[in-house]
Amino acid sequence: MDGRPAGRGGAVKARAVHFVAPRRVEVREVDLPAPAEGSVVVATEFSGISGGTELLAYRGEIDPDLPLDETLGALAGTFAYPFRYGYSAVGRVVRPAAGFREGQLVFAFHPHQDRFVVDAGDAMAVDGLEARVATMYPMVETALQVCLDAAPRLGEVVVVVGLGAVGILVAALLARTGAVVLGVEPEPARRAAAARFGVRALAPDAVAGAVAEATGGRGADLVVEASGNPEGLASSLELLAHEGTALVCSWYGTKPAALPLGAAFHRRRLDIRSTQVSTLPASLGSRWDRGRRAEVAWRLSGTLPLAALCTHAFPFEAAAEAYARTDRKEHGLIHAALRYR
C-alpha cells in the first residue's frame, strides 16, 4: 500500500499509544486500514501531548462511558480502557491524494500513532512552521475560542489563572484585544515563558495587590481559569469586580469542585461560564464556523513565538516516560511531544 511491511494476513501494521489503565500507556501494534479513495497515508514526525484533557485520560479522571470526542472522526469510542487518544499529529504524506503531494507536511487530529490513514478533507497543510511547532496548533485554536467566548472590551482587566501552554496563549491573545491582562502562575519557568509573549505574569501571592492597583480596588472584569485545578476557580472568584465573570477553560474531569457561593458571590452578582473548543456557541453561529476559526488559528500560529512553549520532545517508544514526566509537572515542562524520527 505504501511501502510498509505487511503483518500476518496481509494487513499493514502501525504502532500506536494505548491507554491501558490509570497512569499506564503502552505502544502496541494496530492494523492500518486500507486507504479509501480520497484518503492520505501520513508518516508521523511529531504528535503533541495535551496537558488538559489528555492528562485527565491518562490519570483515569474521566467518566469511562464518555465518548472520546464526538466531533472528531479519528477519536471513536469511549474513555473505557484500553483506548487510543491524542489529537495533534504532524507528519509527511507517503500516499498522496486530493491535492496533497508526497512528502508534504500536514496536520491531523489523530491519536498518537507512527503512521495513519486520514480523509484528505481532515488533513491540513502545514506551511511555514516546523513539524514540532505545528503540534501547538490545537492549543492556539483552543486559546482563540476562549478569546471569542471571553470577548473582553477595550481596557478591561482580565486575570488568567494558570500559565500552561493554553493559559499563556489565552493571555497573549486577550492582550491583543486591548484588555489589560495579568497572568497568575506559581512556577517561575512558566512565568518566564509567558513574558516571551508579552504577558505580565505574577506569583499567586502577588495577584490580589496587582488587580487592586490596576482597577483602583474595583476588581477584575474577567477571570479565565486555565490551571486545571478546581481550587484555582474557587480562589479566583474573590478577584472579580461586581458583576464580573469567571470563564472556566479547565476541564476538571471527575475531580469535585467546591466553590464559595455564599453572600459575596450572590451580592456581587458574579457569573461563571464555561468555554470549550469542540463546539462554537450559537451566538457566533452566523459569523463563525470551524473553517473560519481554523484559518485564523493557523494564521496566529505563524505570528506567535510558539517554539518557546515546545520545551520537551520524547522518542515515541518512550511514551510512558513522556506521560509520567508531564503528569508530575516536571520543572520547565510546558508542552511535550512524541518524536517519531
Side-chain angles (χ1 to χ4, degrees):
M1 178 183 67
D2 57 13
R4 185 148 184 152
R8 296 178 62 182
V12 176
K13 297 293 183 178
R15 294 179 302 156
V17 172
H18 289 70
F19 293 66
V20 297
R23 289 184 164 88
R24 276 190 55 205
V25 298
E26 296 176 359
V27 175
R28 297 178 176 178
E29 276 197 343
V30 296
D31 290 337
L32 198 67
E37 184 176 355
S39 295
V40 295
V41 180
V42 178
T44 316
E45 293 193 354
F46 288 92
S47 59
I49 295 175
S50 154
T53 305
E54 193 163 350
L55 277 190
L56 292 177
Y58 172 71
R59 297 170 186 144
E61 294 179 343
I62 299 179
D63 180 350
D65 295 326
L66 190 70
L68 294 177
D69 193 315
E70 295 166 309
T71 67
L72 299 176
L75 292 179
T78 70
F79 285 99
Y81 295 110
F83 58 87
R84 283 180 277 171
Y85 197 68
Y87 51 81
S88 180
V90 180
R92 301 280 175 182
V93 173
V94 295
R95 181 188 182 277
F100 287 105
R101 65 183 184 278
E102 186 173 353
Q104 186 171 6
L105 192 65
V106 297
F107 170 92
F109 291 102
H110 198 281
H112 304 285
Q113 190 166 307
D114 65 351
R115 188 163 294 213
F116 60 89
V117 178
V118 65
D119 186 275
D122 294 328
M124 291 176 273
V126 176
D127 297 317
L129 289 178
E130 296 179 356
R132 171 65 180 96
V133 175
T135 64
M136 294 297 302
Y137 164 73
M139 310 292 109
V140 177
E141 187 178 33
T142 297
L144 172 58
Q145 184 59 58
V146 173
C147 293
L148 291 172
D149 288 333
R153 295 176 176 86
L154 184 70
E156 288 189 332
V157 174
V158 181
V159 178
V160 178
V161 178
L163 296 177
V166 170
I168 289 173
L169 292 168
V170 167
L173 295 185
L174 286 171
R176 293 188 176 197
T177 70
V180 177
V181 180
L182 302 173
V184 185
E185 170 59 47
E187 186 179 327
R190 293 189 173 196
R191 295 200 300 267
R196 294 279 303 274
F197 288 76
V199 175
R200 182 186 175 192
L202 304 164
D205 60 2
V207 67
V211 170
E213 181 181 359
T215 65
R218 182 180 60 254
D221 301 283
L222 171 70
V223 167
V224 177
E225 203 299 291
S227 71
N229 183 356
E231 294 179 2
L233 175 59
S235 61
S236 66
L237 295 180
E238 64 188 30
L239 300 174
L240 288 169
H242 185 84
E243 296 193 14
T245 297
L247 187 65
V248 184
C249 175
S250 298
W251 183 14
Y252 305 129
T254 56
K255 294 193 293 289
L259 299 178
L261 304 182
F265 173 79
H266 283 280
R267 289 182 176 179
R268 288 191 290 144
R269 302 179 64 90
L270 301 184
D271 186 22
I272 301 175
R273 295 192 290 119
S274 67
T275 176
Q276 218 276 331
V277 73
S278 292
T279 59
L280 286 93
S283 60
L284 295 176
S286 62
R287 294 174 290 116
W288 285 83
D289 56 20
R290 295 176 70 93
R292 181 183 181 184
R293 189 179 66 185
E295 179 184 349
V296 174
W298 277 114
R299 189 163 66 246
L300 289 168
S301 297
T303 65
L304 293 163
L306 297 179
L309 305 179
C310 299
T311 55
H312 289 63
F314 299 86
F316 174 55
E317 294 77 7
E321 178 188 358
Y323 281 96
R325 290 169 64 177
T326 303
D327 182 36
R328 65 175 177 256
K329 295 185 177 180
E330 181 174 287
H331 176 71
L333 193 156
I334 298 176
H335 183 263
L338 301 179
R339 182 179 62 247
Y340 294 76
R341 298 290 181 268

